[in-house]
Amino acid sequence: MSDYPAGLIDGFTRGTHLLRAGLCDEAMVEFRAVYAEARHLPDEDLMAACLCEMGWCSYKLGQTEQALECAMGARGLRQRQGNTTELARAMAVEAIVFLDLGFSDEAFDLSAEAVDLAQAGSDPAILAFALNAKGLVLAVCRETELGMALIERAVALAAEQANIAAEAYYLLNLGFCHTKIAEEAETFGEPGRAIGEREAAIDLSERAIVRAESSGDHWTLRVALCNTAEMLGLQGRHDLALAYLERHSSLPGDPGPSLRIHYLYTLGDIALRSGDLAQASSILEQALALAGSTQQLDHQVNSARKLAEVLETMGDAAAALAIYKRFHALYVTQSGETARRRARIEAIRAETEQWRSRATTLADQALNDALTGIANRRSFDQILNRLAGTPIALAVLDLDHFKSVNDRFSHIVGDAVLQRVARAIVDQIGPHGHAARLGGEEFGLIFPDASEAIAAAFCEGVRIAISCTDWSDMAPGLEVTASIGLAAGDGTAPSGELMQLADNRLYIAKHNGRDRLVLADDPNLDKQRWRA
């Protein structure tokens, strides 16, 4: 991001550090501010980077629809740019969000493509993230062993890169896989196997806790502490489970409603298992109220079900029945939520497509000259930056005595001349080079990987085409010629030096009679600076 203003770089960096620390609300503030500036520029690369991080922040905050909207936007921009490595990351984020929404088919397709793209690239961090996404999807789809193998690869890659925060997150998810196996073992009446798998989940979650603490990632740390406490509770180790939850509650900062509900639910479940029914009831009522106030339906369903179980155990049949009725109503709503979410996803897709179309128009306007339709100076500079370090030939073309065209024939005729000259340049160089209007009556031409002789042939063709054009249809007596300075380099010299050399040669062409191409330092030519 070295080409961006320092303020944008600082803002994005702050957002990244905050996100890695699990301070997602604060990170969102930074990313939104940078995104607004990037959209104003507009800069699609920075916009896509912000959208991807905003999507990940939103997911961690439990704002799944917002997360999906951001991830879809990031994916669309990355596809337009052809940046397959960053596209893999955006698709992996989108896959995890789809999985959280309950759409495992879409999640699998996205995660599989993300892995393919990441494997074709050269960024091990993004490959690990994509492998983790696909592993999670497989685990949820009951292909747990396959999912674990992928997440184990993600853990190994993160460890190789010394990416402690990523390693913590992947270990957390590996523990989740063992939790899924334990649940299956319980279903099939294999209590011994279930206990073993829960112990494996506890071990992996504790490893995640150590790494999350080392990296300062409080989001992963909070989830890992809750998951460990939950597994310890199921194993009957209630005092140790409560100790882990005490560590959770002592962490600084606001965990956000989603993690707060997770904490309360786990604490209530442990209170139930340890026989403290009154405390369990009080805690689960808090969880249900918070889930209701934040409209987190899945948390409401789980909290209502657990609270009804507690009230029934307490012997409060009337209260238990009332909560069961509420649970049933929430469950019915949750069952219909899939259709609502599907409709919302399609609406997001349509909105994203409209936004992408608008963004494309804005980007094209920002990179194209409004009058001639060819590239503008900004686009010209971007092409030069992209070709830095490679052999290129560069020409600067200036129309001769153009001020007199405007003075004698009007600015309307002058604009028409510029439009026709732009078309002539494009027609002459075709796909062999890039043409841009640099400003006023000055144009720039770039010939990638072209020798001076080849570039000179194209430039001479442009010069002749302009001078031989019949301009009388625009205005009787109108004549137009152009002077051109050309310089070629092997990629070792900065493009700015090459541009200055071409500009100097343009002045030499002007001083020596105009309507000519100068491509070398000719001792027979007067090298005094041309003055208009």
Side-chain angles (χ1 to χ4, degrees), residues 261 264 282-296 299-300 303-304 307 326:
I261 294 166
L264 289 170
S282 174
I283 292 168
L284 289 168
E285 283 175 357
Q286 293 178 53
L288 182 58
L290 181 56
S293 67
T294 55
Q295 298 183 329
Q296 298 195 39
H299 281 310
Q300 289 183 70
S303 298
L307 179 57
R326 183 173 176 183

Side-chain angles (χ1 to χ4, degrees), residues 333-384:
T333 302
Q334 186 186 45
S335 300
E337 184 71 359
T338 300
R340 191 202 68 80
R341 285 175 175 171
R342 173 67 67 188
R344 179 59 186 145
I345 287 168
E346 294 307 317
I348 291 172
R349 282 192 174 125
E351 290 167 5
T352 303
E353 188 57 39
Q354 290 176 358
W355 176 86
R356 281 175 59 194
S357 176
R358 175 61 178 158
T360 298
T361 301
L362 290 173
D364 288 343
Q365 290 173 350
L367 296 174
N368 289 341
D369 177 57
L371 177 64
T372 63
I374 64 173
N376 60 14
R377 180 59 186 257
R378 182 181 180 191
S379 180
F380 181 83
D381 290 340
Q382 287 186 4
I383 294 168
L384 282 182

